[in-house]
Amino acid sequence: MIDPVLLFGLALAAGAPLALSPLATALGAALAAAALRRRAGRAALAAAGVALVVSGLRARALLDGAGAAYDGALALLQPPARCEVACAVVGSPVVVGAAQRRSAGARGVDDEPPASRIDVELSGGTCGGRALQGPLRARLYGAPLDLARGDRLEVTVDLAPIHLFRNEGLRNATAAIARSGIVASGTIVEARRTSEGRSVAAAVDRARAFVRGRIEATFHPDAVALGRALVLGETDLAPEDQEAFRESGLAHLLAVSGTHLVLAVAGFAAALRAILVRVGPIAARWDAGRITAALCVPAAWLYADFAGGGGSAMRAAAMLSCAMGARLLGLRPVGVRCFALSLAGAAAVDPLVAWDLSFGLSAAATAGLLWLQRPLAALLVPGERERGDGGAEGGPGASPPRELARKVLAPLATTLAAMFGCTPLLLMNGETFPLLGVAANVVAAPIGELAALPFCLAHAVLSWAPPVERGCALVGSGALLAVRAVARASAETGVVLRLPEPSPAQLAALAAAIALAWAAERRGRRLAALAAGAAAWLLLEGAATRAGAPRGVLRVNVLDVGQGDAILIDLPEGGAMLVDAGGFVGSPVDTGARVLRPLLRSRRRARLDAVVLSHPHPDHFGGLPATVEGVEVGELWDTGQGEAEGAGPVYRKLLSDLRRRGVPIVRPDALCGRPRVLSGATIEVLAPCPELHPDRGANDNSFVVRITYGARSALLVGDAEHEAEDALVARYGAALRADLLKVGHHGSRTSTGAALLAAVDPSIAAVSSGVRNRFGHPSPEVLSRLSASGVAIARTDRGGALTWETDGERVLWSRPGEPPRPALGRRGGGPPPDTRARAPGKNGAP
């Protein structure tokens, strides 16, 4: 029979998927319940069903509340404002940017003193002259390193709403707000501490600061960031190291995982018990083991908090507390029951806990160890099956070759069990799966867990013995650098498997298949259940591929990339083109890696027929290098102004890399006056034609592109301003008519003049602007002009991306999380005057 507590815990933890993907999760839960009906009582299944629904409703309420809180931040902080406010520190200070600066310093850039990131709750003051109404949580950068939770501050800070990047097909962006409450971020200009926190949390933070200082002082410079990641949970690695650990599948060795917590608390327990058994009065009257177990419970939670309070550490603390509690009561701990209680407790406190990647990976790895380690060991390790059956083979009397094989293969079975458990989550949160991950783990895990971890943890408590502390720092640094070397060597091989992100339906099918296999009593039926799950996965993969590349429709996705342009166009015969990819100057946020590449992956797109760079400004090309990496590109359309005037190293490298890949670079002289049919849609370049205008700036030399399918069109004008607009109206007049207008220059007052608007006569206007822009985009004047013309306005800073879709006659449009709604076509009706009779693609509407 299945443990009812485990069933209850899994149901509670599934509340987040139910709130975010209700149909797929409900169907998966129903199939799993049907499969488990013989292995779980009706009462247990009913309780699990109630737990799932309640947890889902709680998660939905949190998401709705997060959306309302974010809207409040938009009302207060758009445009971004300088705030003079009082606040309390609510999150442990975390060092940011130190490793990146050290890496840059090695290449000749001046190093800067490290600063921290803190989470605060603002409770009074003004922002841009407006009074702060009610508490507001924000993440502040540039804080002093000696702050602690509970400290109260008076700060002057430049504050803005956080970027959410709300795009259909990407993970729900408000879940992070719902869990943390953080709706804004900014940089501290000035800070003054008015009082110090006196709580246990404050003491933990001050201990963290002390240990951080000792790591900085005694570790090898190249190992400092690695040591802080391992001991304090601060993921401040240099970009090349972050990539290496991710690509190699070794990131878990630097995360504060359950293994770390168990080792730390076990060391504390062993030392404490050794002391207690030597104290005569205590040893004579009490059980030293029970006393140790009682003290290990708070120690586990304190260490989890000290190590950054991540979901992995907190779940492990809960599981360890269960085991210690059983020991305290004189009971035998049961791993499955403790695992179940850790899930149930975490989900009861936070119904969105499944959204926490570290928690999910920890739970998945633990599940793999609990249910897969023994079968894999029996399959791989000589004599393991006999040992599990009570036989003596593989024991002390086993032959040396067999014993050697057992010592080599047993860790392999353990690594495989943990990795199999984590695979679905790894696919959800990364583009690649490391094929050499098992080998890299077999080499690096012993170094990390037997050398790096114990010596780094010992170092944290040995400041009173400087020679021993330095010795631990030396050994710990060496072990960490050895692990990094393995990660880099593994990543450099490039032996990875690129797989699409699983859809919610695929994950639901996987859960149902696992439940069916779990409930099966015979091996043949288990294999049949897993085979059925694999078949369902492949069928759903086909459905996801078709949804990502629809046929018979033109779909224009005006994406939310902040203050910049990025437009993904799904063409009627399954092709795609991309116009711009956003970008932020001087920001660590890469819109290509953050938005475009995950979106292409979720839509199963490995090719772009054409990539159009409207003009060479960073907020249009900054995300292109990361976007086109690993994606087949048919051709790049570029005005050429960037090469003529010099648009910087990112632009130059983009063109150089594409040329090296054999991608044609197409200029206006080859595009103007030559409408082409691309995957069933007609693409016309209207400007700059017939070539660049040397007396105009980059904005007024933007590509202006009209995309037509059947009787419907979309007009994309880049950052064209009044001079270019006037030239367009003079040349084309009413022939500019289109149903969708991508408003020029993010809604600046220098664009979207009355003459252009009258000529285009759109029914919908998309404005690509960011919540953190300080330019006043979109201009109230432009918004007023659009509203007066009866045009529906879709702003990416309010509601996220716009999806506009037509079959050549009917038009639908939607925003993320909303069902598609019909839109009126061009008010004049029919095709524009200059549109010759063009047959749509073979799959198009008549």
Side-chain angles (χ1 to χ4, degrees):
M1 295 296 290
I2 293 172
D3 188 328
V5 179
L6 176 61
L7 203 59
F8 187 78
L10 290 170
L12 280 178
L18 182 63
L20 296 166
S21 304
L23 182 60
T25 305
L27 182 59
L31 291 173
L36 296 173
R37 67 187 185 280
R38 294 182 179 178
R39 290 272 185 131
R42 292 183 178 179
L45 287 175
V50 172
L52 175 63
V53 172
V54 171
S55 186
L57 291 174
R58 289 180 63 208
R60 185 70 259 169
L62 285 175
L63 292 170
D64 292 342
Y70 187 71
D71 289 342
L74 290 178
L76 177 69
L77 300 172
Q78 201 173 18
R82 173 156 291 188
C83 301
E84 297 177 349
V85 291
C87 63
V89 180
V90 296
S92 296
V94 176
V95 169
V96 291
Q100 288 88 334
R101 286 194 296 271
R102 184 177 288 110
S103 176
R107 296 189 291 270
V109 179
D110 291 337
D111 200 10
E112 300 175 8
S116 73
R117 179 198 77 203
I118 58 171
D119 294 343
V120 301
E121 185 168 283
L122 312 179
S123 56
T126 61
C127 289
R130 292 163 288 181
L132 177 64
Q133 302 291 333
L136 181 148
R137 287 203 171 192
R139 179 159 290 169
L140 305 184
Y141 294 83
L145 279 170
D146 61 348
L147 294 176
R149 282 170 289 178
D151 288 357
R152 298 199 64 82
L153 312 172
E154 290 181 352
V155 298
T156 301
V157 58
D158 292 327
L159 206 61
I162 61 173
H163 287 296
L164 285 188
F165 302 116
R166 291 174 284 189
N167 294 281
E168 194 66 46
L170 298 185
R171 301 179 71 186
N172 188 295
T174 58
I177 296 177
R179 300 193 68 240
S180 68
I182 304 296
V183 295
S185 66
T187 302
I188 292 176
V189 177
E190 185 179 359
R192 182 174 69 87
R193 181 162 44 197
T194 57
S195 64
E196 290 189 354
R198 302 293 182 185
S199 64
V200 173
V204 169
D205 285 344
R206 294 190 175 98
R208 282 170 54 85
F210 178 79
V211 171
R212 184 187 299 117
R214 298 310 304 158
I215 291 174
E216 293 275 357
T218 59
F219 272 51
H220 187 281
D222 290 342
V224 166
L226 303 173
R228 286 194 284 104
L230 185 67
V231 177
L232 302 174
E234 295 181 346
T235 54
D236 180 44
L237 303 184
E240 56 270 24
D241 286 340
Q242 287 181 338
E243 185 72 9
F245 276 93
R246 183 182 64 81
E247 292 282 354
S248 63
L250 296 178
H252 67 95
L253 292 181
L254 293 184
V256 180
S257 65
T259 302
H260 296 52
L261 185 136
V262 169
L263 184 58
V265 176
F268 167 76
L272 181 61
R273 191 173 187 281
I275 294 171
L276 291 178
V277 296
R278 285 167 174 77
V279 179
I282 294 178
R285 298 185 59 185
W286 292 290
D287 183 344
R290 289 191 176 186
I291 297 175
T292 301
L295 294 175
C296 280
V297 172
W301 291 102
L302 283 172
Y303 178 73
D305 189 36
F306 172 84
S312 171
M314 289 299 183
R315 194 206 61 78
M319 194 167 174
L320 188 61
S321 296
C322 171
M324 291 297 177
R327 174 69 179 87
L328 181 61
L329 297 174
L331 303 175
R332 178 178 174 271
V334 178
V336 172
R337 177 61 59 86
C338 290
F339 174 66
L341 288 173
S342 73
L343 293 181
V349 173
D350 178 8
L352 287 168
V353 71
W355 186 262
D356 187 322
L357 178 59
S358 67
F359 177 90
L361 288 174
S362 172
T366 302
L369 292 173
L370 285 172
W371 284 283
L372 297 178
Q373 196 274 337
R374 289 184 65 183
L376 287 172
L379 181 66
L380 297 175
V381 182
E384 193 68 20
R385 184 183 301 275
E386 290 83 354
R387 294 179 70 206
D389 294 338
E393 193 172 348
S399 65
R402 185 180 289 263
E403 184 63 19
L404 178 62
R406 189 181 68 81
K407 289 181 178 180
V408 171
L409 294 175
L412 177 61
T414 300
T415 299
L416 284 172
M419 288 191 69
F420 284 160
C422 293
T423 296
L425 288 176
L426 291 174
L427 293 178
M428 287 180 63
N429 293 276
E431 299 178 16
T432 59
F433 186 79
L435 293 179
L436 294 181
V438 174
N441 271 277
V442 169
V443 174
I447 302 173
E449 295 177 357
L450 300 179
L453 181 58
F455 279 97
C456 289
L457 292 178
H459 170 273
V461 295
L462 286 172
S463 60
W464 53 272
V468 184
E469 181 195 38
R470 287 194 297 271
C472 287
L474 179 63
V475 177
S477 295
L480 287 170
L481 293 175
V483 171
R484 185 182 71 171
V486 175
R488 288 182 172 181
S490 176
E492 286 172 2
T493 64
V495 184
V496 296
L497 185 64
R498 295 188 179 273
L499 295 171
E501 179 181 353
S503 68
Q506 286 176 309
L507 294 174
L510 176 64
I514 291 174
L516 191 60
W518 194 1
E521 298 179 356
R522 297 178 182 175
R523 184 178 180 182
R525 291 184 178 180
R526 290 174 186 168
L527 292 176
L530 295 176
W537 183 286
L538 293 175
L539 288 172
L540 292 168
E541 179 62 27
T545 301
R546 288 191 296 273
R551 299 295 181 119
V553 297
L554 172 68
R555 185 167 66 185
V556 178
N557 307 271
V558 182
L559 303 177
D560 178 7
V561 290
Q563 183 65 13
D565 270 16
I567 305 167
L568 177 64
I569 301 156
D570 298 309
L571 299 169
E573 293 180 1
M577 65 185 295
L578 176 68
V579 180
D580 297 327
F584 302 110
V585 178
S587 170
V589 178
D590 185 330
T591 52
R594 179 74 176 268
V595 178
L596 272 299
R597 208 160 64 196
L599 187 64
L600 292 174
R601 180 171 174 252
S602 73
R603 296 190 179 186
R604 278 65 176 166
R605 287 216 176 265
R607 174 182 168 83
L608 294 168
D609 295 274
V611 173
V612 181
L613 173 55
S614 66
H615 63 292
H617 280 171
D619 58 331
H620 294 254
F621 69 69
L624 276 177
T627 301
V628 301
E629 181 183 341
V631 175
E632 183 184 353
V633 176
E635 55 189 24
L636 174 71
W637 298 4
D638 178 45
T639 64
Q641 192 167 14
E643 285 192 306
E645 301 181 3
V650 175
Y651 171 83
R652 289 197 302 271
K653 187 175 186 303
L654 170 69
L655 264 61
S656 174
D657 289 346
L658 289 177
R659 283 182 173 128
R660 188 174 62 252
R661 291 166 53 181
V663 176
I665 311 296
V666 187
R667 305 297 191 192
D669 60 350
L671 295 168
C672 292
R674 298 185 175 102
R676 62 169 67 184
V677 176
L678 185 63
S679 192
T682 300
I683 315 294
E684 299 168 276
V685 173
L686 307 181
C689 289
E691 58 186 10
L692 281 173
H693 298 275
D695 57 336
R696 295 181 187 173
N699 283 354
D700 277 324
N701 269 311
S702 292
F703 271 127
V704 176
V705 179
R706 181 170 58 202
I707 307 168
T708 302
Y709 183 55
R712 302 301 173 196
S713 298
L715 184 67
L716 315 178
V717 299
D719 276 2
E721 300 184 75
H722 287 328
E723 185 177 1
E725 290 181 357
D726 292 343
L728 283 169
V729 173
R731 182 170 184 176
Y732 297 102
L736 289 171
R737 284 181 180 172
D739 301 276
L740 169 67
L741 171 66
K742 201 291 297 182
V743 169
H745 201 193
H746 320 291
S748 166
R749 61 182 177 81
T750 60
S751 300
T752 321
L756 178 79
L757 189 57
V760 177
D761 192 25
S763 58
I764 301 174
V767 184
S768 296
S769 58
V771 296
R772 301 176 72 88
N773 88 82
R774 298 179 180 276
F775 311 109
H777 297 162
S779 162
E781 179 183 340
V782 170
L783 295 176
S784 175
R785 190 154 48 239
L786 290 168
S787 297
S789 300
V791 180
I793 303 170
R795 297 170 50 175
T796 59
D797 64 337
R798 300 288 178 93
L802 166 71
T803 300
W804 179 91
E805 182 177 301
T806 179
D807 62 1
E809 291 293 337
R810 295 176 300 117
V811 175
L812 298 174
W813 65 287
S814 64
R815 313 299 297 274
E818 299 177 358
R821 69 192 80 172
L824 295 175
R826 189 182 305 105
R827 287 184 292 280
D834 71 329
T835 300
R836 297 172 293 278
R838 300 186 185 104
K842 60 184 178 181
N843 297 311

